Amino acid sequence: MIDLYTWGTPNGRKVSIALEEMELEYNVIPINIGKDEQFSSDFLEISPNNKIPAIVDVEIGRSMMESGAILWYLAHKTGKFLGQDSYVTLEWLMLQMGGVGPMLGQVHHFSRFNQGVAPYAEERYRSEGHRLYGVLDKRLQESEFLAGDYSIADMATWPWISRWE
């Protein structure tokens, strides 16, 4: 059993997608980030960086924070969705973690929630978001999935792509 500490954000959705795809039993524990529940002392014991998602693998008592690390852990735990070449999967997962997620998070912050407050930031992150989508589009013209096979890289990236549309 996995305890999943999450909220309805693109980062929060990544792990729930993986848990469903891997057919793992899990229990959702909502962490309302709008009410600053991520700063509670109980949650900080699981996720010292005060970010969702986080998990506890109840079977072995292991807690994990950071969505990419959680996806990598779950893929190794189950032996599923690492792709034909796990290093290719890792490359595309890291593109999501270091590029797509952070940059599109900034696009949404400046363009949707603070529109007109910081035009330079809006344009900078929007341009980088479009560039990253170009990288993804090129890859998906070559392959049906980012790592060749459906993998944790796709699970991590999809919530951001669907939010952009």
Side-chain angles (χ1 to χ4, degrees):
M1 172 66 78
I2 303 288
D3 283 343
L4 170 62
Y5 297 79
T6 192
W7 195 245
T9 68
N11 274 340
R13 290 183 185 105
K14 295 175 199 178
V15 174
S16 59
I17 291 169
L19 289 165
E20 286 290 326
E21 294 285 11
M22 294 174 189
E23 299 177 334
L24 289 169
E25 287 187 48
Y26 66 100
N27 177 43
V28 175
I29 300 162
I31 301 296
N32 187 335
I33 61 176
K35 294 183 178 178
D36 291 339
E37 291 176 0
Q38 72 272 27
F39 298 108
S40 74
S41 58
D42 288 342
F43 184 67
L44 289 171
E45 286 182 32
I46 297 162
S47 181
N49 194 31
N50 69 274
K51 303 290 183 192
I52 57 97
I55 65 166
V56 173
D57 186 335
V58 177
E59 293 172 19
I60 62 171
R62 175 183 295 274
S63 63
M64 297 285 302
M65 63 175 190
E66 298 299 326
S67 59
I70 295 168
L71 292 171
W72 193 250
Y73 170 77
L74 293 173
H76 280 277
K77 176 182 175 73
T78 62
K80 297 179 180 179
F81 303 108
L82 283 168
Q84 291 176 347
D85 182 336
S86 64
Y87 292 112
V88 173
T89 302
L90 184 60
E91 285 179 312
W92 289 100
L93 178 61
M94 291 302 106
L95 176 73
Q96 195 290 316
M97 306 312 305
V100 173
M103 292 301 111
L104 294 183
Q106 295 300 318
V107 169
H108 296 151
H109 175 78
F110 286 106
S111 298
R112 292 187 179 183
F113 305 116
N114 291 291
Q115 194 169 27
V117 173
Y120 169 79
E122 287 179 43
E123 180 52 34
R124 173 178 151 75
Y125 292 117
R126 187 179 297 111
S127 293
E128 180 62 4
H130 284 293
R131 186 193 72 76
L132 288 164
Y133 275 113
V135 172
L136 294 172
D137 284 343
K138 184 176 186 296
R139 176 60 177 168
L140 293 172
Q141 289 171 8
E142 300 165 356
S143 174
E144 184 177 2
F145 300 107
L146 293 173
D149 295 326
Y150 182 57
S151 72
I152 56 174
D154 300 288
M155 294 173 201
T157 306
W158 181 85
W160 289 102
I161 292 172
S162 65
R163 186 168 181 163
W164 183 269
E165 298 173 332

